[in-house]
Amino acid sequence: MFLEFKKEVEQVLKKALKRASYEYTELELEESEHADISSNVAFSLARTYKKSPAVVAEEIVRYLEIPSDSDDTLISKAVAAGPYINFYVSDFFLHETVRKIKEGIEHVGEKKGKIIIEHTSANPDGPLHIGHLRNAIIGDVLVRVLKRAGFDVETHYYVNDMGRQIGVVVCGAERIAFAANKKADHAVADVYIAANRLVDANSEFLKDVEALMRKYESGDEAAVRKYEAVVKKCLSGIQTSLQRLNIRHDLFVWESEFVRGGAVEAVMEELKQKGDIKFDGSGSALLLKLDGIEKELVIQRTDGTSLYTTRDLAYHRWKSDRCDRVIDVFGKDHELVSQQLSKALEILRVKVPEFVIFEFVSLPTGSLSTRAGRYIAADELMEKIEQRAYEEVDKKRKDLDEGKKLEIARKVGIGALRYDMVKVSPDKHITFVFEDALDIEKKGAPFIQYSHARACSILRAAEEKGYVIADDYDASLLREESEMELIKKLSKLGYVIGSSELKPHLVAKYARELAESFNLFYKDCPVLNAEEELRNARMVLVDCAKIVLSDVLDVLGIEAPEEM
RNA sequence: GGGCCCGUGGCUUAGCUUGGAUAAAGCACCGGCCUUCUAAGCCGGGGAUCGCGGGUUCGAAUCCCGCCGGGUCCGCCA
């Protein structure tokens, strides 16, 4: 509803500026602590018209026409506060917000186009670690935000099955057995680490790896079977972890499909014709000159085989034919690659993707490396954080049965982990400290979940007393400061989703603020002990808060417990 | 060496795109609130020359230039 309010303010303000015959370039509307929405336009006008900003603001306000007696205006008043023009919401705005949330028609984005978003895409050579976790969680929240905003979203996991690393594992698996008692992706990692030691120790092994890779690229059946066995084994483990995190992909796209299907070759041919191509001086590798990028891009090895970037070009061409927007969630180390990709796609006249680049996660001991065995596995983290959450629940709710406690611990633990990862802007570097991550007490997610549980608790208690949420309630009884603030906050979910499309941390921030607003209301306004009319209105408000809290948690991919 | 990102109370951050009203939160610290719907909560308090130096502007955490510190990338890895 806040979005509608903003639009109405825009219209009214535009008209007033026209009547006052001011030429403006921007309305400069901003959220403000002093008003529901505020305009700074008087500053820039003052400059061009050589008047004082306060005078201009006064003047504009005189020209504003706010239909004060009308029933359906969202604006109650506008006042000049020095140079600022402050707008305030009307009772109708508050009523409408409550009504629409209650009826489930608030915050529903209109149908937009189709988006393909790629995230996680960890190499199938071991389990997900905390770096992949950041990718996966940012990506998943993005998916949820875009879906809410009305897009048709398809989620991809791009499987890098053609790299040397995978060759090393597959070849290694011929000599080293997978541990039978381990989760699949962890067993693969063990072989990977052991095989890398073979690489370092013995050059014969590396030759075998390269031979196997060539066979795989040419589609040799035995090689394909070996690869599939290992890659699928690893992916099954990774999917189990993702599922536990509440993340799923619609499609797993294998890199090799583009090689064997001929798409990579087609891209290469086209680049040779349309691109600025030359052979490297020393070898015969193919170099592609890209606009604005100093270094040329190697698009073909000396031996004629393809490289990661070339295969990625084929993948992106395929994606872009199937949708309106392509979004990739990449680590910072892929930034240059993503620029090269964009430039090369321009040459191919393919839609350029949008990138969400996130900074690295490192450990206090240094950067992460699967190969060196220096990582914290996502599974281990999830296990420990759920355990810690369980200790909390156990301490606080001795009355609950075991199953219930475990369920709450799972929701709270995973929620805390997800919130922690998404609350920070993607371009902030993170040093991961295990102990801090496990400190459930000071996490954002449990705070929000707790507010939701409180709302549920009130509604449960109401039901026991035989109170039902009434269809006719008098929203005008909700005049307390904390009630009105809560409603205004509730009205902003759609607005936040619309404006934080590629900035998932803003949703996390909003969720926290909403929970805070609910807690203030909770403290100030008794629901069940209020006299009937007021109780009815407040019960409706509690129900609305519950709905929006669970909605925003859902956008964050965090489950909303009914009690905790 | 060059490109990109980050630098905001003791710690972790929001705000920076589009410059404006006392710089906003959480954690930690100090003090208070459970005979009313869950205290994983609420209230109050101390604590910031917004990395440093210039510049633009009526006005800079925000824009521009330089520097310092940290991260990351830089042709046949992915």
Side-chain angles (χ1 to χ4, degrees):
Chain A
M1 211 53 205
F2 186 76
L3 210 58
E4 287 87 335
F5 168 65
K6 193 181 173 190
K7 279 183 191 151
E8 195 171 314
V9 170
E10 279 170 15
Q11 283 173 6
V12 168
L13 185 55
K14 274 185 192 166
K15 276 189 198 154
L17 287 166
K18 198 173 174 193
R19 271 189 229 114
S21 40
Y22 278 124
E23 298 280 339
Y24 63 94
T25 48
E26 284 283 338
L27 291 177
E28 304 189 45
L29 287 175
E30 276 168 19
E31 288 180 77
S32 162
E33 52 190 307
H34 306 279
D36 293 322
I37 209 161
S38 175
S39 173
N40 296 331
V41 74
F43 280 108
S44 50
L45 293 179
R47 193 174 169 72
T48 34
Y49 291 91
K50 312 239 186 280
K51 297 181 187 176
S52 102
V55 168
V56 175
E58 280 290 348
E59 198 179 342
I60 293 169
V61 168
R62 273 201 305 277
Y63 279 102
L64 280 170
E65 274 184 10
I66 293 166
S68 55
D69 295 332
S70 157
D71 290 338
D72 58 356
T73 174
L74 302 173
I75 308 168
S76 68
K77 59 172 178 175
V79 295
Y84 306 96
I85 305 166
N86 290 339
F87 295 86
Y88 299 88
V89 298
S90 65
D91 286 349
F92 179 70
F93 171 91
L94 299 173
H95 298 175
E96 276 297 279
T97 300
V98 171
R99 183 184 68 82
K100 284 191 162 180
I101 294 170
K102 187 166 182 285
E103 291 176 13
I105 53 175
E106 174 73 320
H107 312 312
V108 181
E110 43 195 90
K111 282 270 163 245
K112 303 197 177 103
K114 177 170 176 180
I115 296 182
I116 292 181
I117 171 163
E118 177 203 336
H119 69 78
T120 312
S121 302
N123 287 351
D125 55 16
L128 297 178
H129 59 56
I130 49 178
H132 302 129
L133 222 48
R134 191 173 192 193
N135 188 320
I137 291 169
I138 288 174
D140 186 58
V141 173
L142 236 41
V143 168
R144 291 162 183 271
V145 167
L146 292 167
K147 278 184 180 166
R148 281 266 168 183
F151 288 99
D152 175 16
V153 185
E154 184 175 289
T155 317
H156 286 194
Y157 187 120
Y158 185 50
V159 182
N160 296 315
D161 61 330
M162 298 216 63
R164 194 178 302 269
Q165 306 308 312
I166 293 308
V168 169
V169 195
V170 177
C171 203
E174 295 188 313
R175 317 184 181 202
I176 305 156
F178 290 117
N181 57 345
K182 275 201 169 180
K183 187 164 168 279
D185 45 346
H186 291 261
V188 171
D190 288 348
V191 169
Y192 176 58
I193 292 165
N196 266 302
R197 280 201 284 272
L198 283 181
V199 170
D200 296 336
N202 141 15
S203 58
E204 284 304 303
F205 180 71
L206 197 58
K207 279 183 190 152
D208 290 352
V209 169
E210 279 163 3
L212 183 64
M213 283 173 66
R214 274 194 298 276
K215 279 187 184 170
Y216 186 56
E217 178 150 0
S218 70
D220 176 88
E221 268 185 50
V224 169
R225 268 199 306 279
K226 285 180 199 165
Y227 263 80
E228 280 190 353
V230 174
V231 172
K232 281 185 177 162
K233 181 180 176 69
C234 194
L235 286 178
S236 76
I238 288 175
Q239 275 184 90
T240 305
S241 306
L242 288 173
Q243 208 168 32
R244 189 170 178 183
L245 278 163
N246 222 357
I247 296 173
R248 63 172 293 277
H249 291 82
D250 297 312
L251 228 49
F252 283 72
V253 183
W254 291 41
E255 195 181 7
S256 54
E257 289 171 25
F258 299 100
V259 178
R260 288 200 286 269
V264 171
E265 209 183 321
V267 164
M268 221 116 82
E269 283 311 312
E270 202 170 325
L271 284 177
K272 283 178 194 167
Q273 285 170 20
K274 297 184 183 166
D276 179 3
I277 289 285
K278 69 175 183 193
F279 283 97
D280 183 31
S282 54
S284 50
L286 258 190
L287 302 180
L288 173 64
K289 175 73 187 121
L290 296 169
D291 233 24
I293 297 178
E294 188 125 6
K295 305 255 175 172
E296 289 103 347
L297 177 67
V298 179
I299 57 168
Q300 190 177 56
R301 289 197 186 96
T302 304
D303 66 5
T305 56
S306 62
L307 286 110
Y308 162 83
T309 324
T310 334
R311 301 190 288 263
D312 217 11
L313 284 172
Y315 173 42
H316 275 84
R317 168 135 84 178
W318 179 71
K319 278 199 278 196
S320 96
D321 285 343
R322 296 162 48 99
C323 66
D324 304 297
R325 287 171 67 186
V326 177
I327 299 176
D328 295 332
V329 183
F330 284 167
K332 184 73 182 169
D333 55 340
H334 278 57
E335 194 175 44
L336 178 61
V337 168
S338 66
Q339 285 165 10
Q340 292 169 327
L341 192 63
S342 299
K343 293 295 177 191
L345 288 171
E346 278 173 20
I347 294 173
L348 296 171
R349 304 213 190 296
V350 168
K351 206 178 300 135
V352 171
E354 299 159 61
F355 297 100
V356 175
I357 304 280
F358 65 95
E359 269 287 358
F360 267 57
V361 181
S362 60
L363 297 174
T365 51
S367 58
L368 299 166
S369 163
T370 305
R371 177 174 176 166
R374 191 173 58 242
Y375 61 86
I376 291 175
D379 295 316
E380 185 191 352
L381 180 55
M382 288 190 270
E383 197 57 44
K384 291 224 171 115
I385 202 165
E386 284 185 14
Q387 229 169 60
R388 196 64 71 89
Y390 178 83
E391 287 165 21
E392 264 335 286
V393 184
D394 190 46
K395 202 159 62 191
K396 291 180 165 126
R397 297 298 304 272
K398 301 228 181 285
D399 57 311
L400 294 175
D401 65 68
E402 201 55 20
K404 206 70 177 180
K405 280 193 273 192
L406 282 169
E407 188 197 329
I408 293 168
R410 184 179 58 76
K411 290 178 180 173
V412 169
I414 298 298
L417 178 57
R418 287 192 59 123
Y419 191 89
D420 219 25
M421 281 284 176
V422 84
K423 73 176 183 194
V424 180
S425 159
D427 48 29
K428 223 88 170 183
H429 178 263
I430 293 178
T431 303
F432 185 86
V433 181
F434 216 124
E435 286 68 38
D436 292 355
L438 294 182
D439 200 344
I440 288 289
E441 283 275 67
K442 57 171 136 173
K443 293 300 166 195
F447 176 83
I448 303 157
Q449 291 171 314
Y450 184 67
S451 303
H452 177 264
R454 275 180 152 178
C456 292
S457 173
I458 292 175
L459 296 174
R460 241 186 342 260
E463 204 181 326
E464 278 165 22
K465 294 191 176 203
Y467 302 156
V468 286
I469 297 173
D471 277 329
D472 65 343
Y473 54 92
D474 186 357
S476 63
L477 293 173
L478 304 172
R479 307 302 310 179
E480 290 287 332
E481 181 71 16
S482 58
E483 289 169 327
M484 295 195 290
E485 285 306 314
L486 175 58
I487 296 171
K488 286 183 207 170
K489 206 47 115 176
L490 291 170
S491 77
K492 287 186 182 174
L493 178 64
Y495 171 74
V496 168
I497 282 173
S499 55
S500 55
E501 205 177 59
L502 299 181
K503 296 177 186 166
H505 64 287
L506 297 182
V507 180
K509 184 173 174 250
Y510 167 75
R512 172 163 246 297
E513 289 168 358
L514 176 59
E516 206 166 49
S517 294
F518 180 75
N519 283 337
L520 290 180
F521 159 78
Y522 181 90
K523 180 204 50 158
D524 284 351
C525 306
V527 177
L528 303 180
N529 292 332
E531 62 78 34
E532 193 177 347
E533 295 268 303
L534 184 57
R535 185 182 69 218
N536 279 338
R538 284 184 176 166
M539 274 172 61
V540 169
L541 182 54
V542 171
D543 193 38
C544 288
K546 178 192 154 185
I547 291 168
V548 180
L549 279 166
S550 100
D551 280 352
V552 73
L553 283 170
D554 180 63
V555 173
L556 293 169
I558 297 171
E559 291 184 72
E562 302 259 316
E563 60 181 322
M564 60 188 277

